[in-house]
Amino acid sequence: MTHRASPAKAYDFLLKFLLVGDSDVGKGEILASLQDGATESPYGYNMGIDYKTTTILLDGRRIKLQLWDTSGQGRFCTIFRSYSRGAQGVILVYDITNRWSFDGIDRWIKEIDEHAPGVPKILVGNRLHLAFKRQVSTEQAQCYAERLGMTFFEVSPLCNFNITESFTELARIVLMRHGMDRLWRPNKVLSLQDLCCRAIVSCTPVHLVDKLPLPVALRSHLKSFSMANGLNARMMHGRSYSLTANNLNKRHSLKKAKIIRPPQSPPKNCTRNSCKIS
């Protein structure tokens, strides 16, 4: 992991992630869905390895990701072992329409634990747009991920669904594990974009971000920002909702208090002496 501190910088952190899984599970489709970044390996060769870079926004920090797609074929296992030693995160990919690819995740986890022990991992079920051909249920994959202490996502490169969110969650786990949360609130003035993201996320739930009349890139940044601050956002939304409810209750009580009924005059046929005014 690299942290850049130069005044004119294109990113704040540099992370290296590996996409791991059997062949033909769609790892290349995930990389191809990313529009930004370079596709040429910085080492000058791509034999058995696909490479892509992308930049995400995590709590106002620009995180550059180097994504390496290791081939699932057995003849490239040696390349995978060499590349896994320098990885900060691993994305385990399987195809939800291929039961065999899900059963092979155990083998890849053994390889990772042997050559890169302790590296944070997430489980990704690819090709959600082919859910009508599903062979692996969401509940089964979720239980499997929880048993191994991993976060689980189902993604669709065709619909660009949960691609950025899965990368953002893994980046958050990696940075928190390395103690980078102490750098989350630097003593400097935030940019206008960061301030706008904070203001919008603080009053907009994550499921309503897609409905905002904003460009797709900005909505993606806002969703990443909101996912990174999910707990704070939920707390803020909870306070705002509770305050709203309290205000409504107070208004209703004030309206009830303002309604003053005039005293009723005694009926004409009243025969009690106490009703007479002396």
Side-chain angles (χ1 to χ4, degrees), residues 196-247:
C196 292
C197 287
R198 289 179 183 272
I200 295 174
V201 168
S202 64
C203 60
T204 306
V206 64
H207 63 278
L208 296 180
V209 172
D210 285 330
K211 298 182 179 180
L212 296 176
L214 296 174
V216 178
L218 288 180
R219 291 202 301 266
S220 178
H221 286 325
L222 287 173
K223 290 172 67 177
S224 301
F225 202 98
S226 181
M227 293 291 292
N229 296 272
L231 179 59
N232 295 333
R234 286 194 297 270
M235 292 174 63
M236 294 182 69
H237 297 328
R239 288 199 295 268
S240 63
Y241 296 152
S242 62
L243 288 175
T244 304
N246 292 335
N247 291 336

Side-chain angles (χ1 to χ4, degrees), residues 107-125:
R107 175 172 55 86
W108 289 107
I109 290 179
K110 292 179 180 178
E111 288 277 350
I112 295 169
D113 292 340
E114 180 180 356
H115 301 284
V119 174
K121 301 179 290 291
I122 64 171
L123 181 64
V124 169

Side-chain angles (χ1 to χ4, degrees), residues 146-183:
E146 291 178 355
R147 180 166 56 86
L148 297 179
M150 296 186 297
T151 306
F152 170 68
F153 290 91
E154 285 188 335
V155 304
S156 172
L158 182 64
C159 307
N160 195 20
F161 178 75
N162 267 351
I163 300 295
T164 304
E165 287 77 8
S166 58
F167 292 154
T168 303
E169 177 63 17
L170 182 56
R172 184 190 66 81
I173 295 173
V174 171
L175 292 176
M176 289 297 182
R177 175 168 293 191
H178 286 79
M180 291 300 169
D181 53 333
R182 65 180 183 274
L183 301 176

Side-chain angles (χ1 to χ4, degrees), residues 37-272:
T39 57
E40 295 182 359
S41 171
Y43 302 112
Y45 57 89
N46 294 345
M47 183 178 179
I49 298 289
D50 289 334
Y51 173 79
K52 190 71 175 286
T53 63
T54 186
T55 303
I56 61 175
L57 187 67
L58 177 58
D59 195 15
R61 293 284 188 170
R62 289 164 296 184
I63 315 296
K64 183 177 180 180
L65 304 179
Q66 290 182 344
L67 305 172
W68 301 84
D69 171 18
T70 59
S71 176
Q73 299 179 13
R75 61 194 180 98
F76 293 119
C77 287
T78 305
I79 298 177
F80 162 74
R81 292 165 185 171
S82 61
Y83 274 80
S84 62
R85 293 188 181 95
Q88 281 97 24
V90 176
I91 302 171
L92 295 161
V93 184
Y94 72 94
D95 185 358
I96 67 171
T97 66
N98 186 348
R99 178 73 189 188
W100 183 264
S101 65
F102 179 75
D103 295 336
I105 294 294
D106 288 332
R107 175 172 55 86
W108 289 107
I109 290 179
K110 292 179 180 178
E111 288 277 350
I112 295 169
D113 292 340
E114 180 180 356
H115 301 284
V119 174
K121 301 179 290 291
I122 64 171
L123 181 64
V124 169
N126 194 19
R127 294 170 179 165
L128 184 59
H129 54 277
L130 299 177
F132 61 94
K133 296 181 179 180
R134 179 190 294 273
Q135 295 183 3
V136 182
S137 65
T138 304
E139 294 76 13
Q140 183 180 5
Q142 182 69 43
C143 293
Y144 178 81
E146 291 178 355
R147 180 166 56 86
L148 297 179
M150 296 186 297
T151 306
F152 170 68
F153 290 91
E154 285 188 335
V155 304
S156 172
L158 182 64
C159 307
N160 195 20
F161 178 75
N162 267 351
I163 300 295
T164 304
E165 287 77 8
S166 58
F167 292 154
T168 303
E169 177 63 17
L170 182 56
R172 184 190 66 81
I173 295 173
V174 171
L175 292 176
M176 289 297 182
R177 175 168 293 191
H178 286 79
M180 291 300 169
D181 53 333
R182 65 180 183 274
L183 301 176
W184 241 232
R185 293 181 176 86
N187 296 323
K188 67 176 182 180
V189 179
L190 296 176
S191 65
L192 179 60
Q193 181 179 359
D194 295 342
L195 292 175
C196 292
C197 287
R198 289 179 183 272
I200 295 174
V201 168
S202 64
C203 60
T204 306
V206 64
H207 63 278
L208 296 180
V209 172
D210 285 330
K211 298 182 179 180
L212 296 176
L214 296 174
V216 178
L218 288 180
R219 291 202 301 266
S220 178
H221 286 325
L222 287 173
K223 290 172 67 177
S224 301
F225 202 98
S226 181
M227 293 291 292
N229 296 272
L231 179 59
N232 295 333
R234 286 194 297 270
M235 292 174 63
M236 294 182 69
H237 297 328
R239 288 199 295 268
S240 63
Y241 296 152
S242 62
L243 288 175
T244 304
N246 292 335
N247 291 336
L248 291 176
N249 293 333
K250 289 181 180 179
R251 290 178 184 176
H252 289 304
S253 61
L254 288 175
K255 289 181 180 179
K256 291 181 180 179
K258 288 182 180 179
I259 298 176
I260 302 176
R261 298 180 179 178
Q264 297 180 354
S265 57
K268 294 182 179 180
N269 56 355
C270 180
T271 57
R272 292 182 300 170

